[in-house]
Amino acid sequence: MRKLFLLALIALLLGVGIVAVIETDPGYLLVAYGNYTVETSLWVGLVILAFFTLAIYLLVRLFRRVVGGQNSLASWLGGRRSRASSRLTTRGMISFIEGNWQRARRQLLRGAKNSEAPLINYLMAARASYRLNEPDQMREYLGAAEEAEAEAGIAVELTQAEMKLHAGQYEQALATLVRARRNASRHPYVLDLLHRAYYGLKDWGQLLELLPELRKYKVLDEAALNTLEREVYIALLAAQAAGEDSGDQLRQVWQKVPSALKQDPEILNRYVAMLVAGGHEAAADKVIVRALKQNWQPSLVRHYGYLGLEQPARQLAQAESWLASHPQDAQLLLCLGRLSAREKLWGKARDYFESSYRLERSEEICAELGRLLLALGEPKVAAAYHCEGLQISQGETLPELPMPEATQPPARRQA
């Protein structure tokens, strides 16, 4: 309260002092410009000058607020253009997804004019041009994308490679991707496109070298990677099996197959089939026997029945040694029947075939029984088995038809 009273008193004294000074000597101020003159007292002139200075200050400040700053008119206009660009880009993306390439390109290019990041606009415009089969414009927009962003080189190359892969131009795509592979640790998608290019070219050797990197950077999920790895090794085995010295080449490739894949049923059966087809039956025998000790596979047992080894008696004994552990395996019994027939043990062969027939009726077992019984002088029974095999092969495509008793399938024999 005392401070307020003191300030009011000081202001009052100053006012009285200034008024006294003005009354004592008001001064004289003359301003002349051409034919015009303005006369006033010094103190009135000072007040007018102060008001004029304040007006100039306020005008300058207002101008700065309009022209510059976040809330300025220029900023508002720029934001409006940016929002319009964003809307055009969004519409262009929607049109692209809908497959309207012409409209998509037009909207994307319009949106690129006022966009702060026009890279995506130009890349998608290039993709739209590719869809419209306009390669010159595609290259033009890819060049614009690279100019718009200095670090967009990899993105442009990947876009080019992806479009070439889509067109089936695997060699051209590969040339682009090899350059981009230098930064694979930063751009794992390069590896994905590379694997697609090698796969399209059926370059299994390069795919095999690429597999560790695909696994390291987790380009593919584990299931897809295992499927690809299996397919690569099967293709490499098949390529070597077609050579003149297929036995040694096959074994060399087989040694490179990972241990886990060597137990894979598909690869193992393919490898054995290739050995048998190439006449390397002794090698197939070793592979089958070793594999069956670790994991029983009826499909391998079936292959074993087709082997024509130099010691068929030993082969039959080996197969019969498996019977104690797998007495109800139809493929093993079929294999034993074939090996017994090869040794001219007709009764044993028939028993094995009929035991397999009782467990699993198939075209194959019916055919084996039919030809064995035909050779043994039982043509009617053999014909019945052949007929049943044909019916099994046709499934449910044949209509029901009552059959005479003479052609009924034979009754099952008791083992």
Side-chain angles (χ1 to χ4, degrees):
M1 192 66 177
R2 289 182 180 180
K3 291 182 179 180
L4 183 59
F5 176 76
L6 183 60
L7 289 174
L9 181 60
I10 293 174
L12 182 60
L13 292 174
L14 284 175
V16 171
I18 292 172
V19 170
V21 171
I22 292 173
E23 289 180 350
T24 303
D25 186 5
Y28 178 74
L29 179 64
L30 174 66
V31 178
Y33 182 76
N35 297 326
Y36 300 96
T37 59
V38 176
E39 297 181 12
T40 183
S41 65
L42 175 63
W43 300 102
V44 173
L46 290 175
V47 171
I48 293 173
L49 180 63
F51 276 112
F52 181 76
T53 303
L54 180 62
I56 294 296
Y57 170 76
L58 292 175
L59 286 173
V60 170
R61 188 169 180 180
L62 178 62
F63 179 77
R64 291 183 61 184
R65 288 179 64 85
V66 170
V67 175
Q70 294 183 350
N71 298 323
S72 66
L73 178 62
S75 177
W76 178 80
L77 290 174
R80 187 170 179 272
R81 294 192 189 99
S82 179
R83 288 190 294 273
S85 172
S86 179
R87 285 194 298 271
L88 283 168
T89 300
T90 302
R91 290 173 187 168
M93 296 293 288
I94 293 172
S95 298
F96 186 89
I97 294 171
E98 292 175 348
N100 195 329
W101 319 121
Q102 192 75 38
R103 184 171 63 186
R105 184 175 64 182
R106 183 174 63 253
Q107 291 170 331
L108 287 164
L109 292 176
R110 287 175 59 195
K113 293 179 181 178
N114 295 301
S115 175
E116 295 181 358
L119 173 64
I120 191 67
N121 297 65
Y122 289 125
L123 288 178
M124 295 306 294
R127 288 177 180 271
S129 299
Y130 166 77
R131 299 283 186 171
L132 291 168
N133 196 25
E134 297 178 358
D136 293 337
Q137 287 187 295
M138 179 192 75
R139 285 189 289 270
E140 177 186 348
Y141 298 136
L142 286 175
E146 198 162 6
E147 291 177 2
E149 182 61 51
E151 298 180 359
I154 294 293
V156 172
E157 288 183 343
L158 291 183
T159 302
Q160 285 179 317
E162 199 171 358
M163 289 187 287
K164 289 174 182 176
L165 285 175
H166 185 270
Q169 299 172 352
Y170 299 112
E171 292 184 357
Q172 295 90 325
L174 186 60
T176 302
L177 290 168
V178 168
R179 295 193 301 269
R181 190 182 179 182
R182 302 168 187 170
N183 296 321
S185 58
R186 292 175 53 197
H187 307 282
Y189 187 52
V190 174
L191 299 176
D192 183 32
L193 296 180
L194 264 176
H195 115 260
R196 288 162 55 186
Y198 286 136
Y199 190 90
L201 293 169
K202 305 301 179 187
D203 193 337
W204 308 113
Q206 290 293 337
L207 264 176
L208 182 62
E209 293 182 7
L210 195 64
L211 282 172
E213 288 188 84
L214 293 176
R215 179 170 278 110
K216 177 181 178 181
Y217 295 109
K218 299 180 179 179
V219 176
L220 302 174
D221 59 56
E222 196 64 26
L225 195 60
N226 291 337
T227 300
L228 177 62
E229 188 176 33
R230 185 185 301 109
E231 189 173 358
V232 166
Y233 279 111
I234 289 175
L236 287 172
L237 288 168
Q240 297 304 326
E244 295 182 0
D245 188 16
S246 59
D248 292 337
Q249 293 173 346
L250 268 174
R251 283 189 285 273
Q252 289 175 7
V253 176
W254 183 251
Q255 293 303 318
K256 297 178 182 179
V257 177
S259 300
L261 277 181
K262 285 183 178 179
Q263 298 303 316
D264 183 273
E266 184 180 1
I267 291 183
L268 195 53
N269 278 278
R270 292 284 191 93
Y271 177 54
V272 170
M274 292 172 193
L275 287 173
V276 174
H280 311 289
E281 296 182 336
D285 172 38
K286 293 180 181 179
V287 173
I288 291 173
V289 173
R290 188 183 304 114
L292 290 177
K293 287 181 180 178
Q294 299 177 354
N295 184 25
W296 182 259
Q297 297 182 36
S299 55
L300 288 180
V301 176
R302 183 179 182 279
H303 283 300
Y304 195 74
Y306 282 93
L307 298 181
L309 302 179
E310 295 180 356
Q311 299 178 336
R314 183 193 65 79
Q315 186 180 359
L316 176 59
Q318 174 65 66
E320 287 181 329
S321 69
W322 297 328
L323 192 59
S325 301
H326 307 279
Q328 301 298 312
D329 191 299
Q331 280 295 334
L332 176 57
L333 292 167
L334 178 59
C335 170
L336 287 167
R338 285 175 172 148
L339 297 177
S340 299
R342 192 178 300 163
E343 285 290 280
K344 300 181 181 180
L345 302 173
W346 311 120
K348 180 183 283 190
R350 181 171 183 170
D351 287 340
Y352 281 135
F353 282 147
E354 289 180 344
S355 297
S356 178
Y357 174 84
R358 285 192 291 270
L359 289 170
E360 181 184 319
R361 297 188 182 189
S362 65
E363 305 169 53
E364 194 173 21
I365 185 57
C366 287
E368 290 288 10
L369 273 169
R371 68 176 186 164
L372 175 64
L373 293 173
L374 184 62
L376 292 176
E378 300 182 32
K380 290 184 179 181
V381 182
Y385 276 117
H386 280 302
C387 182
E388 184 179 2
L390 287 172
Q391 289 179 331
I392 293 173
S393 69
Q394 294 298 317
E396 298 180 357
T397 60
L398 295 176
E400 291 187 6
L401 181 68
M403 298 172 60
E405 293 184 2
T407 57
Q408 293 290 337
R412 300 180 184 175
R413 290 182 51 185
Q414 297 297 323

